[in-house]
């Protein structure tokens, strides 16, 4: 597994080699490169701390998105981290421990399939769930109110176990990449020095015939949202709610903020921006509410233990646990499967055997009995129906209330999730990168991509499953996960939602500013540099120019200034972004 490495070791080896050699060919002190000489020290317009984007407790010097943080290593959590890593990397199955329980319908059968090398998903030309690197989630919603359709799950599923038919037939999903022929803002598709750039965007179609639901949805649009890197999210979780609110308040003087989250007149978050008070809360929060929602593009998830990854370990694979004791399905899918003659015939033919995984659906063996049983089990989308699980054999083994993912396993998954380090910054000693930082500030990019934050006490909220495991072994749950108090971190995000007004934009148009830390390693680690919410930007340059597609964009002025830069300065900005 991965182990934290420090430059002190490299420096020591370099000095040893220098003492044993009279060669004058080595560069710098002891044969170290200029970067190794300056690593961890102030250089140019960078402070010493900026080499450590995740702070001293959250940064790894390895060029990796999957390394353990120094804080987790110092706390002796490496073994649990490594076990938790397996739940992210390995395939889920129907029966095989310890990753059993896949289905009956699912989005992916592993987490890493969506997060190649733990990073951003890759751009796709077709939707295939089993393509490694396909980080796309289908976003199917009603355009008149931006609400998700109810016939399929919010994370729409395109895979299902035999004999069931997937809620959506992925073979009928069409992704067409279209070329921008003119910027709505009027910015030309070539810079003033003649260098051209091209922008593309996806148009996605899912015909009604692709839905295996009853009823079939109507009046819907489709967008794509790609996964982002999961590294460093524990550090974002450690930022105090009050500090994020202060950032929103400061920006509200200059830009319009999402009215679903922000009370402009009162100058504070609305109640809808928080979880309800008492939401499995063992942490400390100001006011009479639970934790602030801060994760996902739409900021729908609050605290890492109920954030995108923690929730996805359940709803992407449909693997149950003690605080998710129900299937991630919809009544519309259950009804369609219970009325499908092919499904009924298959269960009737193959489901009578005591050892067959379809036994719980067989009921009394009649068409009516099988249909009723299928509808009853597949409709289990509410925790109130826990008794349905306890009544039957679950996929061939006695259920007896046992979860597919135990509290201990989920705890180990969270040690891994909260213990992922941010890779150290690179090339900060180079004049071009230092020039890029200067321009990044001058252009106004840092207004949204806020460079640094200081974490709070990190007196974290703890989920019910981890809390139950802690109680079982007699420990304080808040001291069982990696913690990052008082760290200056450099994520380059303001944790605020903005609008860029791009063609075929993200659902609602509101999108949290994506952290930039570590993204410069994407091509090296994942094989692609795709950016933005649907991977429409194939390079950093394209991502920047998409910010200026419309004059309504919150980032238009900054993009316009970038457009007028000479090529050397444009390259410097890009080099800076790729180095932090």
């Amino acid at each position: 597994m991965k182990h934290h490495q420090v430059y002190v070791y490299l420096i020591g080896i370099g000095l040893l080699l220098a003492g044993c050699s009279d060669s004058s060919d080595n560069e710098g002190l002891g044969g170290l490169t200029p970067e190794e000489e300056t690593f961890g020290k102030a250089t140019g317009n960078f402070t010493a701390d900026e080499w450590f984007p995740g702070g001293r407790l959250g940064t790894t010097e390895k060029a990796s998105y999957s390394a353990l943080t120094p804080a987790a290593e110092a706390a002796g959590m490496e073994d649990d981290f490594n076990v938790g890593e397996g739940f992210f990397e390995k395939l889920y199955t129907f029966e095989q421990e310890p990753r059993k329980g896949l289905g009956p319908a699912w989005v992916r059968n592993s987490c890493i399939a969506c997060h190649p090398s733990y990073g951003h998903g890759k751009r796709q030309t077709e939707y295939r769930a089993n393509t490694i690197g396909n980080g796309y989630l289908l976003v199917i919603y009603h355009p008149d109110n931006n609400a998700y359709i109810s016939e399929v799950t919010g994370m729409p599923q395109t895979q299902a176990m035999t004999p069931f038919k997937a809620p959506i037939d992925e073979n009928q999903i069409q992704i067409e990449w279209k070329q921008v022929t003119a910027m709505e803002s009027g910015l030309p598709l070539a810079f003033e020095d003649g260098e051209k750039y091209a922008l593309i965007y996806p148009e996605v179609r899912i015909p009604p015939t692709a839905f295996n639901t009853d009823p079939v949805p109507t009046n819907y649009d489709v967008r794509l949202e790609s996964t982002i890197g999961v590294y460093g999210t524990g550090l974002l979780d450690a930022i105090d709610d009050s500090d994020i609110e202060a950032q929103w308040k400061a920006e509200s003087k200059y830009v319009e903020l999402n009215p679903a989250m922000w009370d402009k007149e009162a100058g504070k978050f609305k109640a809808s921006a928080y979880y309800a008070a008492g939401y499995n809360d063992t942490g400390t929060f100001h006011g009479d509410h639970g934790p602030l929602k801060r994760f996902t593009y739409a900021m729908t998830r609050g605290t890492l233990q109920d954030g995108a990854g923690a929730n996805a370990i359940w709803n992407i694979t449909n693997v149950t646990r003690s605080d998710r004791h129900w299937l991630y399905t919809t009544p519309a899918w259950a009804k369609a499967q219970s009325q499908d003659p092919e499904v009924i015939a298959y269960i009737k033919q193959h489901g009578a055997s005591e050892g067959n995984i379809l036994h719980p659906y067989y009921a009394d063996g009649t068409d009516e009995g099988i249909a009723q049983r299928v509808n009853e089990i597949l409709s289990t989308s509410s925790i109130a129906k826990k008794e349905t699980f306890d009544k039957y054999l679950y996929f061939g083994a006695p259920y007896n209330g046992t979860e597919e993912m135990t509290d201990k396993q989920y705890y180990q998954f969270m040690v891994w999730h909260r213990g992922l380090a941010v890779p150290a910054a690179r090339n900060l000693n180079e004049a071009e990168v230092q020039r890029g930082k200067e321009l990044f500030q001058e252009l106004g990019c840092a207004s949204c991509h806020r460079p640094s934050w200081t974490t709070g006490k990190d007196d974290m909220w703890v989920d019910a499953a981890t809390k139950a495991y802690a109680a079982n072994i007699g420990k304080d749950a808040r001291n069982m996960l990696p913690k990052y108090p008082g760290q200056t971190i450099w994520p380059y995000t303001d944790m605020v939602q903005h609008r860029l007004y791009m063609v075929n934009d993200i659902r609602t148009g509101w999108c949290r500013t994506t952290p930039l830390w570590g993204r410069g390693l994407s091509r090296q680690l994942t094989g692609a540099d795709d950016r933005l919410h649907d991977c429409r930007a194939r390079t950093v340059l394209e991502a920047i120019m998409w910010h200026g597609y419309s004059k309504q964009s919150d980032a238009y002025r900054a993009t316009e200034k970038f457009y007028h830069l000479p090529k050397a300065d444009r390259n410097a900005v890009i080099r800076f972004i790729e180095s932090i």
Side-chain angles (χ1 to χ4, degrees):
M1 291 296 173
K2 294 85 181 171
H3 299 278
H4 182 68
Q5 297 174 334
V6 294
Y7 271 88
V8 173
Y9 176 78
L10 296 175
I11 293 172
I13 292 296
L15 291 172
L16 178 62
L17 293 175
C20 297
S21 171
D22 58 5
S23 171
S24 60
D25 294 334
N26 295 331
E27 291 186 22
L29 178 63
L32 299 178
T33 66
E35 181 174 6
E36 289 169 341
E37 288 181 27
T38 54
F39 182 85
K41 301 175 184 176
T43 177
N45 54 359
F46 288 99
T47 65
D49 285 343
E50 288 177 84
W51 288 99
F52 303 91
R56 303 286 172 153
L57 296 180
T59 303
T60 176
E61 284 96 14
K62 300 173 76 173
S64 171
Y65 292 151
S66 59
L68 179 70
T69 61
E73 184 178 21
M77 297 177 178
E78 187 169 9
D79 288 344
D80 286 322
F81 177 91
N82 290 338
V83 173
E85 180 180 65
F87 289 105
F88 176 83
E89 292 186 349
K90 306 300 182 183
L91 297 179
Y92 282 81
T93 68
F94 296 127
E95 288 294 324
Q96 187 175 352
E97 296 283 4
R99 288 170 292 276
K100 72 173 238 181
L102 183 69
W106 61 92
V107 182
R108 302 284 195 283
N109 58 2
S110 75
C111 302
I112 200 169
C114 290
H115 299 270
S117 299
Y118 296 43
H120 195 288
K122 300 180 183 180
R123 189 174 68 89
Q124 306 291 314
T125 57
E126 60 180 9
Y127 188 95
R128 293 293 182 271
N130 292 326
T131 299
I132 299 300
N134 173 18
Y136 283 145
L137 298 172
L138 299 168
V139 180
I140 311 174
Y141 65 102
H142 297 298
D144 52 346
N145 60 9
N146 286 317
Y148 291 116
I149 66 172
S150 61
E151 289 82 5
V152 296
T153 54
M155 301 280 197
Q157 299 151 328
T158 62
Q159 302 287 300
M161 64 179 291
T162 304
F164 304 122
K165 297 171 182 174
I168 300 175
D169 177 6
E170 65 179 25
N171 292 309
Q172 297 188 52
I173 301 171
Q174 304 167 34
I175 301 176
E176 180 183 0
W177 286 94
K178 311 198 80 169
Q179 192 95 10
V180 171
T181 56
M183 298 280 273
E184 188 179 279
S185 64
L187 288 176
L189 292 169
F191 294 103
E192 292 166 334
D193 53 22
E195 180 186 5
K196 296 180 180 180
Y197 64 94
L199 300 182
I200 60 173
Y201 62 93
E203 191 169 273
V204 189
R205 301 181 188 88
I206 303 179
T209 54
F211 291 91
N212 292 307
T213 60
D214 185 4
V216 170
T218 58
N219 182 33
Y220 58 88
D221 273 347
V222 186
R223 295 289 185 267
L224 297 175
E225 287 185 9
S226 183
T227 51
I228 64 173
V230 292
Y231 58 89
T233 42
L235 293 153
L236 299 179
D237 196 37
I239 300 172
D240 279 351
D241 291 358
S242 57
D243 289 339
I244 296 176
E245 185 172 61
Q247 180 68 23
W248 281 63
K249 187 171 185 177
E251 292 193 30
S252 68
K253 301 174 184 177
Y254 308 103
V255 294
E256 188 73 21
L257 299 182
N258 186 354
M261 298 279 290
W262 186 253
D263 187 330
K264 182 177 180 179
E265 184 175 341
K268 65 179 183 179
F269 281 120
K270 292 182 176 179
S272 57
Y274 298 93
Y275 281 132
Y279 183 81
N280 288 330
D281 178 16
T282 63
T284 301
F285 301 94
H286 62 283
D288 57 354
H289 50 68
L292 174 68
K293 298 173 184 176
R294 65 182 67 192
F295 293 109
T296 75
Y297 295 115
M299 294 185 72
T300 55
R301 292 279 158 187
T303 86
L304 191 61
Q305 293 168 74
D306 198 50
N311 191 54
I313 201 72
W314 165 66
N315 66 16
I316 295 296
T317 59
N318 228 332
V319 171
T320 63
R321 61 179 190 256
S322 66
D323 64 340
R324 291 285 197 282
H325 196 121
W326 63 97
L327 288 178
Y328 187 58
T329 55
T330 66
W333 181 62
K335 182 179 179 182
Q337 299 312 290
S338 71
Q339 295 176 348
D340 190 316
E342 294 179 358
V343 170
I344 302 301
Y346 185 96
I347 294 173
K348 194 169 187 178
Q349 180 180 356
H350 299 281
S353 171
E354 186 70 24
N356 192 284
I357 63 171
L358 292 171
H359 179 83
Y361 301 100
Y362 188 71
D364 60 5
T366 65
D367 289 0
E368 295 77 10
I370 293 172
Q372 181 179 351
R373 184 65 54 82
V374 166
N375 191 56
E376 183 176 23
I377 294 180
L378 296 189
S379 289
T380 309
S381 56
S382 167
I383 197 168
K385 294 189 176 182
K386 174 182 179 299
E387 65 274 9
T388 303
F389 275 70
D390 295 333
K391 265 198 298 188
Y392 305 124
L393 299 177
Y394 184 51
F395 298 135
Y399 183 68
N400 297 328
T402 303
E403 301 300 342
E404 295 162 345
M405 188 178 204
T406 68
D407 289 341
K408 180 178 181 179
Q409 289 169 341
Y410 181 65
Y411 158 73
Q412 291 170 318
F413 174 78
M414 286 312 308
V415 170
W416 165 83
H417 202 352
R418 216 172 198 270
L420 283 171
V422 180
R426 303 153 305 285
N427 313 313
L428 304 189
N429 58 308
E430 296 182 9
E432 183 181 34
V433 176
Q434 293 168 11
R435 172 62 173 159
K437 179 186 179 183
E438 179 184 356
L439 289 165
F440 192 85
Q441 296 281 349
E442 291 178 0
L443 296 173
C445 304
S447 297
C448 297
H449 287 283
R450 170 179 166 171
S452 67
W453 293 79
T454 300
T455 61
K457 294 180 180 179
D458 202 8
D459 187 14
M460 70 186 74
W461 172 91
V462 179
D463 63 273
T466 300
K467 187 176 178 182
Y469 174 63
N472 188 48
I473 62 175
K475 291 187 176 181
D476 183 346
R478 282 173 292 181
N479 295 326
M480 290 172 57
L481 292 171
K483 301 186 76 169
Y484 308 101
Q487 295 295 289
T488 298
I489 62 175
W490 300 80
Y492 284 86
T493 174
D494 56 3
M495 302 295 283
V496 175
Q497 288 180 305
H498 293 280
R499 289 179 295 184
L500 300 184
Y501 291 95
M502 298 182 289
V503 60
N504 278 13
D505 209 348
I506 194 169
R507 181 185 70 94
T508 77
W510 295 100
C511 188
R512 193 199 70 173
T513 305
T514 300
L516 298 179
W517 56 6
R519 286 301 314 276
L521 290 170
S522 182
R523 183 166 297 278
Q524 174 184 335
L525 297 179
T526 73
D529 199 30
D530 301 321
R531 295 180 180 240
L532 299 184
H533 69 280
D534 54 11
C535 300
R536 65 176 60 198
R538 296 159 291 186
T539 63
V540 177
L541 178 64
E542 290 183 16
I544 292 172
M545 294 313 299
W546 266 117
H547 284 59
Y549 176 78
S550 169
K551 285 187 176 180
Q552 296 182 76
S553 167
D554 287 355
Y556 172 72
R557 292 302 176 193
T559 312
E560 183 184 37
K561 292 177 184 177
F562 176 85
Y563 172 82
H564 290 299
L565 291 176
K567 182 175 176 59
D569 281 349
R570 296 198 304 270
N571 289 345
V573 173
I574 293 170
R575 180 80 167 145
F576 163 72
I577 292 172
E578 290 178 335
S579 297
I580 54 177

